[in-house]
Amino acid sequence: MDKYGLIGYPLGHSFSIGYHNQRFADEGINAEYMNFEIPSIDELPEVLSQNPELKGLNVTIPYKERVMEFLDFISPEARAIGAVNVIRVVHEGKKIILKGYNSDVIGFVQSIEPLLESYHKKALVLGTGGASKAIAYGLKSLGVEPVFVSRYERPGTIQYQSITPEVVQEYNVIVNCTPLGMFPKVDACPLLPYEALDERNILYDLIYNPDETLFMKKGAERGATVKNGLEMLLLQAFASWEFWNGREK
């Protein structure tokens, strides 16, 4: 039986394990999807050696960037983004070859593109981790100029305290790539001047549990278009399967 899985720490409740195993059952695929909760990315070689049936992995927080040093091949897109969340495991005799891709950008672009209007030219990307890099890359491909928002002083970023009502009107697409508002801490949200939002704003949250985060609720109350990350997750999960089975672009 082929194996696929997810590496990250901590994993908690994983959407991927349920989605993929259900798909395998529905389509009669003789495979299993497992969680590999590893406290250090240095344990990846051990996961591979103990699971010789592994054909592919997804990568989540906090390893999307650090996993790249373990890979034999990285797609030009994933290299440009600076993060990998899909690994194809190729067995050539006793040798294991690891190929890295990024499906986050595929899922995000396909999910947000229908919402964009001609006046959506600039975006705030909340957070600076591996997912935010894919989001910024995807926005640029759609002709929307991103700027990263951080709690800390960092080159090329702005801080939350610098976001004025004028900023959210100019940067009228706002994408939350932080865990703020995720279950069970549903009463949290990024620090923004929500009162300045209107119907020209898009608030897109990578979080999908709960269905409507406080970030989204505050935007909707001001007439903004809001969307959670569930469709992106489904689209990137489907793209993962394409990468694992060699139909990479």
Side-chain angles (χ1 to χ4, degrees):
M1 179 185 289
D2 290 343
K3 283 185 183 177
Y4 300 88
L6 174 69
I7 57 170
Y9 190 85
L11 292 180
H13 174 71
S14 162
F15 165 89
S16 298
I17 191 169
Y19 169 84
H20 287 291
N21 282 323
Q22 187 62 52
R23 182 177 180 191
F24 296 157
D26 291 345
E27 299 185 18
I29 299 169
N30 186 29
E32 179 186 15
Y33 192 97
M34 308 169 67
N35 281 351
F36 298 102
E37 189 174 58
I38 52 175
S40 168
I41 190 60
D42 295 323
E43 294 182 28
L44 176 58
E46 187 178 350
V47 169
L48 293 165
S49 66
Q50 290 182 356
N51 297 275
E53 309 89 351
L54 264 176
K55 293 290 177 16
L57 290 165
N58 288 123
V59 185
T60 190
I61 295 170
Y63 302 136
K64 291 184 181 186
E65 294 155 300
R66 283 207 52 213
V67 76
M68 296 173 76
E69 63 195 67
F70 291 85
L71 306 180
D72 302 290
F73 167 85
I74 299 170
S75 74
E77 192 170 59
R79 192 176 292 282
I81 292 165
V84 162
N85 74 318
V86 182
I87 299 172
R88 183 180 176 198
V89 183
V90 180
H91 298 268
E92 290 186 357
K94 292 185 178 180
K95 189 177 180 184
I96 298 174
I97 298 171
L98 303 179
K99 299 184 175 185
Y101 306 92
N102 193 300
S103 66
D104 280 341
V105 68
I106 297 170
F108 174 69
V109 166
Q110 292 178 354
S111 176
I112 197 171
E113 190 170 17
L115 307 180
L116 295 174
E117 302 289 351
S118 59
Y119 51 78
H120 292 125
K121 297 295 186 186
K122 296 182 178 181
L124 297 175
V125 179
L126 311 183
T128 55
S132 66
K133 290 182 175 182
I135 297 313
Y137 184 94
L139 287 165
K140 286 180 184 176
S141 77
L142 293 167
V144 180
E145 188 58 38
V147 63
F148 292 105
V149 181
S150 173
R151 287 175 293 170
Y152 311 106
E153 289 281 350
R154 290 178 178 173
T157 68
I158 63 173
Q159 281 65 57
Y160 285 95
Q161 61 266 28
S162 301
I163 299 175
T164 62
E166 291 74 26
V167 170
V168 297
Q169 286 166 4
E170 181 182 358
Y171 291 80
N172 52 10
V173 179
I174 306 174
V175 185
N176 180 33
C177 304
T178 79
L180 280 171
M182 185 185 295
F183 182 85
K185 297 179 181 178
V186 298
D187 55 350
C189 66
L191 183 64
L192 297 169
Y194 291 96
E195 69 281 358
L197 300 175
D198 60 28
E199 68 279 356
R200 292 169 65 88
N201 288 95
I202 295 173
L203 269 63
Y204 190 109
D205 203 328
L206 266 59
I207 293 169
Y208 56 90
N209 183 15
D211 291 338
E212 184 183 54
T213 59
L214 187 56
F215 166 75
M216 293 168 60
K217 186 176 181 182
K218 284 174 172 280
E221 286 171 353
R222 295 287 171 174
T225 298
V226 300
K227 187 164 189 173
N228 69 18
L230 183 59
E231 185 185 38
M232 173 183 163
L233 200 68
L234 291 166
L235 289 165
Q236 71 94 353
F238 184 77
S240 294
W241 179 253
E242 299 289 303
F243 286 130
W244 291 333
N245 288 277
R247 293 187 286 275
E248 63 264 25
K249 297 173 183 176

